[in-house]
Amino acid sequence: MFDSILDKTKSAFEKTKSAVEKIEAPQRRTAGAAALLIVGGVAIVWALIPKSQVENYPVGASVVPEDAWMAVSLSTDPGQWEKLQKQGTAESQKLLNRQLLELGERFLTPYGLDYQKDIQPWVGREVMVAWLPPQVGVTGGTSPSSGQPPVPKAKEPVVMVLPVDNQGRAKDLLEKPKPLPQGLWVSRTYKDVQIREMQGAPTENYSAALLDNRFLAVTTDPKATERVIDTYKAGQSIAKTPGYKEAVAQIEAPDCLARVYVNWPIAANMAAMNAVRLLPPQGKNQLQKFQGFAATVTQEAEGIRLQGISWLKADSEKKQVVENKAKSALSRLPAETLIVWSGSNLQRLWQDYALGARGNPFAPMSPELLQQGVASNTGLNWEKDLLAWMAGDFSLSLIPAVPGSSTQFPAGLVLMVQSNDRRSAEKSLLQLDKVISQRYKFKVEQVKVGGQPVVNWTSQYGGVTLSRGWVSGNVAFLTLGAPVAGAITPNPKAPLALSQSFQKAVPSELDASNSIFFIDVERTLNSKQFALPQLPPVPQTLLSAIRTIGLTSSISNERSTRYEVFVRPKQEGTPGASPSPTTQPQAKPSAAGSPAPSR
């Protein structure tokens, strides 16, 4: 190690000397000395500081192979996890504690290890867990021509990278492993790196290697360990993925609880391999245009914030249109709105969706089926008669019924679209009135709501009423369910954008928004007024601990999109028991005479 430091120092001095010698002779005696001190000092410091300290990407990103389809970095600060354990309800806190205990029982206890005693004294500020595609020794099952997706014959290798802050403690753990209940630890060497492997264990095949006393890499497959060593020495890591460093720099946040990275092309291949139905080429090609997604998760006083970014491949012909107008739709909705999704341009949104969804069995809705359904049920062409005048901002929301109103519906579903051609819109809507009246025998009548004309469609069998009208001059609306037109016509008394509940949930960092989503979980999913299906215990416990959720997306440029998500949980005190007795982060001892390269 010290030989390496001396070589770097010598190289720095030689570069500094070369730079000084280029100074003109009259200045060399005075300015040369100053340059030698300043430039040389900076060069020496740069040579001695481990480069992992000055990079802004997660620790371990330079070790994990580039084709990992997903990587998650988790903070090792006990204070972060104890703060998380105080969020939510008593039931959700117990669930988190149980999950943390189960992780230890699965990965540590069977091997006689204890996190606080054996791992925490030497591990760095965060650990990375990554999932690799099952490439080595894996061939597809059935061929694509048989109509069935290929089935991998091996599990995806999992890689865990633990940065080392105390070299002596980490080395002792690897060189003197504790006896296994079943099987033995064996040792081998690969490219001058010692590897410890389990042999004879009935279920697991763990393998571990210490890389230059900087990282302890643990994998579930010996071949994966070799790939990690290759990557660390000279291979392509996820840190070298095109656009990765620039993307994570934009979402860098102090004191992260977690950081996430998804490699879209590899993730798409993994999804196709494990799908029940074969992903068609056109659907797969659309996914292959994206390069990656990265996110950071932090904790705040009011809840948990996620900052994310997605980006396209550099050679992708796909380009995004920078259009961030979603916030304008929020001024037309009342403060009591339960759920809302708003966007910048409904026409463009549909065109982008249809491009990637046509022939894709994983798409939630078939564009062809929607077009056929509109044509057969109304006689209108979805794209020519309706979508053609919907090139403005839009919102789809759920607004609660007015208390005391005589309706069987607890809320009304409302679609609002800003029109770019009101004359064409009026023509299509009048044609729709005619179809609703003649074909479906609904009563179509014009009434006044808030002094504004509104058309009601009422079923002859009673109960079902739809209303349509205009607000703000060129914004068309359609309601279904409870009669809520009065809440938006002509304008809401108090807009949603100014409500305290909305402002606390929806992130405000992205001023220009392409899409916004908000849900009052407490008044919808956790209330008893909506007939919702019963969820399994774990998701139900998590939802019961949440008040509101807000999401904002903004198109930064033609290649990348930013995201902000905020989950606002309930605050019901602290849990009774915690799997970690440590309440504050402890200073980690460092090996004598050795730097801490992972920090």
Side-chain angles (χ1 to χ4, degrees), residues 163-201:
V164 176
D165 268 10
N166 186 311
Q167 300 174 8
R169 295 289 292 270
K171 192 173 183 180
D172 286 345
L173 183 67
L174 187 64
E175 294 182 350
K176 302 174 183 178
K178 296 185 179 182
L180 297 171
Q182 297 184 53
L184 297 172
W185 288 106
V186 297
S187 179
R188 68 183 177 96
T189 301
Y190 178 77
K191 293 188 176 179
D192 299 326
V193 177
Q194 185 184 46
I195 301 175
R196 289 280 186 179
E197 296 177 352
M198 293 172 57
Q199 286 191 358

Side-chain angles (χ1 to χ4, degrees), residues 480-531:
L480 171 64
V484 295
I488 59 176
T489 306
N491 294 298
K493 296 178 180 178
L496 174 65
L498 298 181
S499 72
Q500 186 179 32
S501 178
F502 179 86
Q503 290 183 344
K504 285 186 175 182
V506 176
S508 58
E509 282 73 9
L510 302 178
D511 293 330
S513 305
N514 177 263
S515 180
I516 295 174
F517 175 79
F518 165 77
I519 177 171
D520 191 320
V521 179
E522 185 67 9
R523 292 194 296 146
T524 52
L525 303 181
N526 295 336
S527 68
K528 303 297 182 182
Q529 60 176 328
F530 294 95

